[in-house]
Amino acid sequence: MIITLHLKLLLLFIFLLFLTNTSQLVFAKEQYNVSEACRITRYPDLCISSLAPFSLSEGRSLSKWARLGVSVTISEVKSVQTYLTRLKRQGHFKRRNKVALSDCIETFQYALDELHRSLSVLRRLSKSTFSTQMEDLNTWLSAALSDEDTCLDGFESNKERKIKLMRNQVLKAYYITSNALAFVNKLATTGLGSISDLDP
Ligand SMILES: *[C@@H]1O[C@H](CO)[C@@H](O)[C@H](O)[C@H]1NC(C)=O
């Protein structure tokens, strides 16, 4: 009699333990405000200033932050590309730097293509293809980062003012891309549990 009572209590205990664990999973924090979301990035101040205009008081899920991060990166990369194209038209860069500038505009185009591809994946996240989607996103966003980095390789005499200014613009695009990649990596490790708005 006493043994069965103990057994029942034990079972009840295990059952409660199970309930607590699953409820933690089910009710895991789904909404992050801008400062919480940006804490996981490498450049949190830039993250906050670039995302704050789009942040909501009730917060967003990780998948929404990843999508927003990539959208904001696309605008930034586009605007730097426009700036680089204008520099090229003005014709101040000579010889080796002139060639480097043209190469840079081209690598920015690759980065832009990879970012657009990433955004379209983030717009149709699905449970059945989640891990492949996360791999693709990591590949394309890493490639975009490396393209932006390659852009700066060809320039000489970095002390020149115009080159310094250009370098800062390109680096800003690089940092913002890195932040978007951090969201995607966090989404990949947190996994499906954190997402409530997925297609099956
Ligand atoms: C974000 O949430 C934290 C609590 O988790 C709070 O301390 C902080 O003030 C919030 N930040 C913003 C910008 O709402």
Side-chain angles (χ1 to χ4, degrees):
M1 196 57 189
I2 290 177
I3 291 175
T4 35
L5 183 64
H6 278 168
L7 194 62
K8 275 179 188 164
L9 281 176
L10 186 65
L11 285 176
L12 183 67
F13 179 69
I14 291 172
F15 178 65
L16 284 177
L17 201 66
F18 176 74
L19 260 192
T20 326
N21 275 336
T22 46
S23 64
Q24 264 169 5
L25 281 180
V26 173
F27 301 115
K29 187 162 173 47
E30 284 172 2
Q31 306 292 316
Y32 300 82
N33 69 24
V34 68
S35 25
E36 292 169 322
C38 286
R39 201 174 299 145
I40 64 162
T41 66
R42 188 171 298 177
Y43 309 99
D45 293 343
L46 182 61
C47 176
I48 290 174
S49 66
S50 63
L51 298 182
F54 310 97
S55 66
L56 308 166
S57 53
E58 69 270 31
R60 286 172 196 269
S61 65
L62 212 41
S63 59
K64 296 256 170 66
W65 280 116
R67 202 193 299 181
L68 183 63
V70 172
S71 297
V72 164
T73 306
I74 288 176
S75 325
E76 183 65 27
V77 167
K78 266 188 194 159
S79 105
V80 173
Q81 198 189 31
T82 306
Y83 162 81
L84 295 172
T85 309
R86 196 168 59 236
L87 275 183
K88 184 183 173 178
R89 211 168 42 235
Q90 289 168 347
H92 294 303
F93 285 28
K94 304 294 180 208
R95 294 179 294 276
R96 184 163 161 198
N97 287 342
K98 187 178 171 184
V99 178
L101 185 58
S102 296
D103 289 349
C104 195
I105 293 168
E106 198 178 320
T107 52
F108 260 65
Q109 188 53 49
Y110 298 148
L112 211 47
D113 294 344
E114 285 141 3
L115 288 163
H116 277 298
R117 243 176 280 165
S118 305
L119 186 60
S120 76
V121 168
L122 285 165
R123 283 193 176 132
R124 50 182 173 75
L125 286 177
S126 97
K127 283 182 177 151
S128 53
T129 54
F130 187 74
S131 57
T132 319
Q133 289 179 319
M134 290 301 120
E135 277 170 32
D136 286 346
L137 285 170
N138 187 282
T139 305
W140 295 330
L141 291 175
S142 305
L145 261 185
S146 134
D147 284 331
E148 289 154 13
D149 185 39
T150 305
C151 161
L152 293 173
D153 284 351
F155 294 94
E156 57 187 7
S157 82
N158 282 352
K159 288 189 205 80
E160 218 173 285
R161 198 180 113 81
K162 273 197 184 316
I163 293 185
K164 260 194 194 163
L165 285 176
M166 179 223 54
R167 198 183 154 75
N168 288 343
Q169 294 292 313
V170 170
L171 282 177
K172 187 178 172 204
Y174 179 88
Y175 297 151
I176 287 183
T177 310
S178 151
N179 287 346
L181 178 59
F183 288 146
V184 165
N185 286 339
K186 182 73 178 174
L187 180 63
T189 55
T190 311
L192 293 167
S194 65
I195 307 172
S196 53
D197 51 351
L198 275 185
D199 295 334

